[in-house]
Amino acid sequence: MNAPSPQPPAVRTTCPYCGVGCGVLAQPDGYGGAGIAGDPHHPANLGRICSKGSALGETLGLDGRLLHPLLRQFDGTFARVDWSVALDRVADGFQRIIRRDGPDAVAFYLSGQLLTEDYYVANKLMKGFIGSGNVDTNSRLCMASSVAGHKRAFGADTVPGTYEDLDTADLIVLVGSNAAWCHPVLFQRMVKNKRERGAKIVVIDPRRTATAEDADLFLPIAGGMDTALFCGLLVHLADLCALDYRYIDTHTAGFENSLARARAIAPDLAATARLTGLPRPDVARFFELFRAIPNAVTCFSQGVNQSSQGTDKVNAIINCHLATGRIGRRGQGPFSLTGQPNAMGGREVGGLANQLAAHMGFTAEDVDRVGRFWQAPRVATREGLKAVQLFDAVARGRIKALWVMATNPAVSLPRARQVRDALGRLELFVVSENVIANDTVAAGAHILLPAAAWGEKDGTVTNSERRISRQRAFLRPPGEAKPDWWMVTQVARRMGFTSAFSYRSAADIFREHAALSAFENDGSRDFDLGGLADINDDAFAALDPVQWPLRAGETRRKRQLDRRFFAEGGFYTPDGKARFVAPEPPAPRVPTGNDFPFRLNTGRLRDQWHTMTRSGLSPRLGAHAPEPFVDVHPDDAAANNLVDGGFAQLTTRWGSCVLKVSVSDTPPSGSLFVPIHWSDATASAARIGHLVMPETDRYSGQPDAKATPAAIAPVTFAFRGFAVTRRPLALPEGTWWARVALAQAFGLLLASNDGPATWRERAREMFGEDAELAELCDDKRGIYRAAAFVAGRLDGCLFIGPAAAAPQWDAVKTLFEAGTLHDAARRVLLSGRSPDGLASAGSIVCACFGVGLATIREALQSGKATSVEGIGAALRAGTNCGSCQPELKRIVADAAAEVARAGDAAATTLPPSARTRESSAMS
């Protein structure tokens, strides 16, 4: 008899972070956790995995999980109820409001974190059976302009190319995309192409991001001027007769009007350079690269999409590819890099308010077709409200019932404070979530439904290259957590739609989704999964990653030979021709002025995700950038009395935040960059959505998150410090704080104008009467330090010191991983030094392997390493996902410059005769 396996086998599943859609191997440990590795057989990543993906195992605990259905009571507290009670309340509440106020008085707000099957049933219920188009998704905040641009140009939301095009392109243009941080696995494919095949990389971005470190040409374009640059490119190509006139004549329409508009916007090289704020030689070099290198892919992401003119930017890019026929061929095409793991899947099922399911719209023909397929009594006949409009309608009382699934709109939407206030006025506010507390829950949810999380859910997601992959469960759902599709199905049955929502599994839903995509299609629509409409449960369980379309009767092998769209036309417009689109002249929607002289640009960090409800649980990920900050150009910092490492108040018309200041040449002068991730749950004053203006693109409805007028002013705190405890800790009003995940502890970095005496009075209240306190208080030097012990075990620490010499927690936080401290460790604890004499690793540079700045510098100074490759060989830093390699390059360059400066300084201190002898020897 074979011995039983010591642990369950590894499960092939898909990463829940960005739209690259990396395959991962999850190895359950039998105790509710799992080891995570990249899946070498998944075509999206071929075994690579980024820092966030590799840390997924650290995010699987049950701390903070919502485990049971909860109903809010009259006193504001929540009480546990049975599932049947909670579901009855949801169904009864929606039906009551629909009977009284009509179907448009209710809405769903969904998420790119949902699986396709969750998305499908939610859209079916609202658009097919309730009869309202009021279903939108947080994908509206990141990908809607790409969708609108695709539909205007191609007649459908079709991404023409594949990831393999990034391996074979000879020119890769990245527009508004910090792919090195936001799509690191995909970016490393581009860098490999550059290294092995000599591909050129052009980066177009107002900020000098990590991605620019690997660029052959970096174009720091003026904010919002992407349309001008690509109009100038189109004109330049036309003037040089470098267009594919056969392709234009045969497969497109509207070229003359678009070229005329491009000439009106950017008539020549000089005008293009002036509009974009770029040096004329650099513009000329970019234009020549694009003209001379046929195999060109243009990748674009949030810097293009998150704009009040985002759709025009997308179409200006697509125009250049259509005009040169560089679309759908190997190594050629425009490529939208999707932000979320299932933003593409949500678009497939109609997750946006202006779509019906299966890439159909609100034409009479499509409404009829979907209604007949679903046998639905009242299919919505018009578009619903897009995200910003939807929450405006909540604020005005037009929408009275809202179900939010797997997203945190009270943080992520523009005017976040107004959104939060509006949510509190809903008559029925339902949230299905896997965390028990976040800003949206705190806004006044009436019913909380416990959702299964990643690792517990089963279904599919679609990545940026149209590849459908399985997310498979490898953990049992804790408590009473259920899949979102199950909750929606149960509510639908209670509303009287039992026969249409008789699903027993995710496979049932997927089969129906695939069948609808093929229904009356015959090649007339791009999205078609007819080849999977009859897939059985076992085949669904074993499904390998597959790209669509996969039409009925086609084999998987045939699809492998034909995975691109539009090389020979075949667009999804009435006449089968692509449409050139004449964009509007680029101009800011809201001007800056004396009160708000800066442009606020928002974005993501390398090691965090959205509002940190998952990534914020990982100590490894929290170590790279633990505090919310604002990036300020040195000239702007000097003009506004800001100092690196100090604090500033950032203000817009909509609100204000207090952030740590990072002075760098990353943003251009006049622009401020802030990461989006912190919320009221993780920081005292850093909810960036609170600052963002509500201006949206007229075609896509996507908010402009890159150009809010803003002001900045210094904020002074006399004292800084930290608290590390075994349990969450609340700090007094007026304290600036940021919460950081630590191993075996909770961490707070803090700043305050209260001195040591005040903190000494608070310490006993903070740590409790049962704690034994060891204290160090020096009022003269402005220092207070306390360590709390309970039953001999370190239970908490509080360190306060002058802001100019803030105490560091590197040595202290590691002590919380131990059990009972030995005497030597207790004696040295309040010094803040490591009891074993080890030096601090410094701020984390490589999150994958936990390698700090001090460790890297020591390796360079000692000669253990002299290059990025040498650092990788000595310390492993940069050898996994590669997202820290741009930072490693800067560290190596800084070290070399420091050595050079030291050499110059030494040479100038030599006596003249010695300098002469040294010069002679060098010559």
Side-chain angles (χ1 to χ4, degrees):
M1 181 181 293
N2 293 329
S5 173
Q7 59 186 15
V11 174
R12 294 182 66 198
T13 186
T14 309
C15 180
Y17 287 118
C18 76
V20 175
C22 293
V24 298
L25 298 176
Q27 179 71 67
D29 61 11
Y31 299 97
I36 302 295
D39 182 352
H41 300 295
H42 197 290
N45 59 314
L46 303 173
R48 276 193 176 273
I49 192 169
C50 77
S51 58
K52 294 185 292 294
S54 63
L56 277 167
E58 298 176 21
T59 70
L60 297 176
L62 298 184
D63 288 342
R65 282 294 299 270
L66 175 63
L67 299 175
H68 308 283
L70 300 177
L71 290 184
R72 189 179 292 276
Q73 306 300 295
F74 288 112
D75 62 359
T77 62
F78 282 104
R80 178 179 171 180
V81 296
D82 291 338
W83 264 113
S84 59
V85 173
L87 295 167
D88 285 344
R89 288 287 186 94
V90 176
D92 292 346
F94 271 90
Q95 285 181 305
R96 182 184 69 254
I97 292 169
I98 291 166
R99 282 194 300 267
R100 187 188 68 207
D101 301 303
D104 288 333
V106 301
F108 293 164
Y109 189 63
L110 311 180
S111 165
Q113 302 291 303
L114 292 172
L115 301 187
T116 300
E117 293 73 20
D118 303 320
Y119 253 130
Y120 181 86
V121 293
N123 276 280
K124 181 178 177 179
L125 174 57
M126 180 60 75
K127 291 177 180 170
F129 289 79
I130 290 175
S132 171
N134 287 340
V135 178
D136 213 41
T137 165
N138 62 12
S139 297
R140 178 71 61 190
L141 311 183
C142 64
M143 299 313 301
S145 292
S146 287
V147 175
H150 291 159
K151 292 178 74 173
R152 288 206 296 177
F154 308 147
D157 177 21
T158 312
V159 175
T162 75
Y163 291 167
E164 288 183 355
D165 293 328
L166 303 175
D167 302 330
T168 56
D170 298 312
L171 173 65
I172 300 171
V173 183
L174 288 154
V175 191
S177 170
N178 187 11
W181 277 16
C182 299
H183 299 94
V185 169
L186 208 56
F187 185 65
Q188 288 306 308
R189 291 179 71 157
M190 304 179 203
V191 172
K192 181 182 179 183
N193 183 5
K194 170 185 169 73
R195 183 175 61 249
E196 296 181 356
R197 298 183 60 256
K200 301 294 185 183
I201 296 177
V202 176
V203 172
I204 302 168
D205 200 306
R207 289 198 304 139
R208 181 177 285 276
T209 65
T211 305
E213 298 297 318
D214 280 293
D216 296 280
L217 176 62
F218 170 55
L219 299 178
I221 191 169
M225 289 295 114
D226 309 84
T227 297
L229 181 64
F230 283 91
C231 282
L233 175 59
L234 183 64
V235 170
H236 181 79
L237 295 172
D239 288 347
L240 295 181
C241 297
L243 303 180
D244 187 337
Y245 292 101
R246 183 200 67 81
Y247 192 91
I248 293 171
D249 292 342
T250 307
H251 301 302
T252 73
F255 171 70
E256 291 80 6
N257 288 340
S258 292
L259 180 59
R261 178 63 59 78
R263 287 195 188 281
I265 292 172
D268 53 35
L269 193 64
T272 305
R274 184 176 64 255
L275 286 167
T276 58
L278 296 170
R280 181 170 173 170
D282 288 351
V283 176
R285 186 182 174 200
F286 169 52
F287 285 3
E288 178 57 21
L289 284 170
F290 198 94
R291 183 200 67 79
I293 302 176
N295 265 23
V297 173
T298 305
C299 301
F300 50 93
S301 194
Q302 309 311 350
V304 167
N305 293 319
Q306 290 181 331
S307 166
S308 57
Q309 293 181 301
T311 305
D312 276 350
K313 292 181 182 182
V314 171
N315 285 114
I317 292 169
I318 291 174
N319 284 348
C320 293
H321 280 270
L322 290 174
T324 53
R326 298 175 184 179
I327 187 167
R329 297 187 174 95
R330 186 176 174 84
Q332 300 181 12
F335 205 130
S336 164
L337 298 183
T338 314
Q340 294 192 81
N342 203 28
M344 182 76 78
R347 287 144 62 180
E348 292 164 4
V349 302
L352 294 167
N354 52 319
Q355 300 174 321
L356 277 180
H359 280 203
M360 286 183 271
F362 284 94
T363 65
E365 181 183 15
D366 284 350
V367 169
D368 174 69
R369 180 183 297 113
V370 172
R372 285 186 288 108
F373 181 87
W374 278 342
Q375 299 181 33
R378 54 181 73 86
V379 177
T381 57
R382 64 178 184 274
E383 296 181 3
L385 297 173
K386 301 177 180 72
V388 174
Q389 298 172 311
L390 190 151
F391 285 90
D392 284 346
V394 172
R396 295 194 303 270
R398 284 181 53 201
I399 290 179
K400 304 179 186 303
L402 177 68
W403 188 346
V404 173
M405 303 180 197
T407 187
N408 199 358
V411 178
S412 56
L413 277 161
R415 295 178 302 178
R417 175 182 291 171
Q418 286 90 332
V419 169
R420 184 168 179 164
D421 292 344
L423 292 172
R425 295 195 286 272
L426 282 162
E427 186 175 329
L428 176 63
F429 182 18
V430 183
V431 175
S432 46
E433 255 295 357
N434 52 45
V435 295
I436 197 166
N438 62 24
D439 290 40
T440 297
V441 171
H446 302 122
I447 304 172
L448 299 184
L449 305 177
W454 181 80
E456 302 155 7
K457 301 198 294 185
D458 184 79
T460 61
V461 293
T462 308
N463 73 358
S464 293
E465 63 166 351
R466 296 175 278 108
R467 191 178 298 278
I468 297 169
S469 298
R470 290 278 281 108
Q471 270 198 20
R472 295 180 173 93
F474 55 88
L475 298 172
R476 292 178 60 85
E480 295 181 273
K482 296 287 188 181
D484 291 273
W485 68 259
W486 180 89
M487 303 178 204
V488 177
T489 295
Q490 294 297 314
V491 168
R493 293 175 183 177
R494 285 165 168 78
M495 294 179 73
F497 311 125
T498 301
S499 62
F501 292 85
S502 58
Y503 312 114
R504 297 162 298 131
S505 67
D508 284 347
I509 303 166
F510 182 84
R511 280 188 286 268
E512 181 177 309
H513 164 54
L516 174 56
S517 74
F519 183 59
E520 298 180 355
N521 192 332
D522 300 323
S524 59
R525 302 192 303 276
D526 63 338
F527 179 63
D528 189 338
L529 286 176
L532 297 174
D534 295 323
I535 190 171
N536 62 39
D537 287 0
D538 291 341
F540 180 76
L543 183 67
D544 286 329
V546 58
Q547 282 181 294
W548 61 259
L550 183 60
R551 305 187 193 281
E554 290 181 336
T555 65
R556 293 282 297 281
R557 178 169 177 78
K558 182 179 185 298
R559 287 306 312 154
Q560 294 297 312
L561 302 176
D562 179 24
R563 289 173 294 167
R564 296 173 180 85
F565 283 91
F566 310 142
E568 297 299 329
F571 294 93
Y572 294 95
T573 55
D575 61 3
K577 292 187 175 185
R579 298 293 190 264
F580 282 93
V581 176
E584 295 297 320
R589 184 75 62 86
V590 181
T592 56
N594 292 334
D595 292 338
F596 301 110
F598 292 93
R599 290 286 179 192
L600 177 63
N601 181 7
T602 73
R604 281 174 44 195
L605 292 179
R606 187 188 79 189
D607 294 336
Q608 294 296 350
W609 179 255
H610 287 196
T611 60
M612 294 199 290
T613 51
R614 178 188 294 114
S615 60
L617 301 175
S618 166
R620 198 184 344 162
L621 298 179
H624 181 241
E627 297 163 296
F629 64 89
V630 53
D631 259 342
V632 186
H633 189 276
D635 294 346
D636 296 330
N640 289 273
N641 300 313
L642 303 172
V643 296
D644 189 48
F647 292 86
Q649 183 171 44
L650 188 58
T651 306
T652 73
R653 177 185 168 191
W654 309 104
S656 66
C657 291
V658 177
L659 308 169
K660 194 172 178 181
V661 174
S662 169
V663 178
S664 77
D665 60 1
T666 298
S669 181
S671 176
L672 306 169
F673 174 77
V674 291
I676 61 172
H677 307 292
W678 282 268
S679 68
D680 285 354
T682 51
S684 56
R687 188 163 45 137
I688 299 305
H690 180 39
L691 278 61
V692 176
M693 64 185 179
E695 299 298 325
T696 61
D697 180 282
R698 62 183 292 191
Y699 302 104
S700 69
Q702 181 157 355
D704 191 332
K706 304 293 187 183
T708 304
I712 193 167
V715 171
T716 301
F717 290 108
F719 302 94
R720 292 180 59 190
F722 63 83
V724 184
T725 62
R726 298 285 181 188
R727 62 193 62 82
L729 186 69
L731 292 176
E733 283 288 326
T735 305
W736 184 96
W737 55 267
R739 196 178 305 281
V740 186
L742 302 177
Q744 307 297 319
F746 296 88
L748 290 171
L749 295 168
L750 56 92
S752 172
N753 285 315
D754 294 331
T758 302
W759 285 102
R760 185 175 190 180
E761 292 175 5
R762 292 170 176 161
R764 176 60 63 185
E765 179 183 344
M766 290 167 64
F767 294 123
E769 296 297 328
D770 295 335
E772 171 196 353
L773 280 187
E775 298 178 284
L776 183 159
C777 189
D778 187 333
D779 288 330
K780 185 175 181 180
R781 294 168 59 203
I783 293 173
Y784 176 73
R785 297 177 181 178
F789 295 87
V790 175
R793 184 172 184 246
L794 181 62
D795 193 63
C797 284
L798 174 65
F799 278 45
I800 302 293
Q808 302 299 303
W809 68 359
D810 290 354
V812 174
K813 66 185 182 182
T814 60
L815 298 176
F816 282 78
E817 299 178 43
T820 301
L821 298 186
H822 54 75
D823 290 342
R826 289 187 64 151
R827 284 194 298 271
V828 78
L829 172 58
L830 293 183
S831 72
R833 298 192 300 269
S834 171
D836 53 16
L838 296 177
S840 167
S843 58
I844 294 298
V845 175
C846 175
C848 293
F849 298 116
V851 184
L853 178 60
T855 304
I856 295 167
R857 284 177 172 166
E858 189 280 328
L860 292 171
Q861 291 166 1
S862 67
K864 294 177 187 174
T866 58
S867 64
V868 172
E869 293 75 18
I871 293 170
L875 305 173
R876 300 177 70 194
T879 61
N880 182 35
C881 72
S883 61
C884 65
Q885 286 188 8
E887 196 167 347
L888 294 176
K889 290 178 182 177
R890 289 195 295 273
I891 294 168
V892 170
D894 289 346
E898 189 174 330
V899 170
R901 285 193 298 270
D904 292 343
T908 59
T909 60
L910 292 171
S913 60
R915 290 202 297 271
T916 301
R917 287 194 302 274
E918 181 184 45
S919 177
S920 299
M922 291 174 65
S923 62

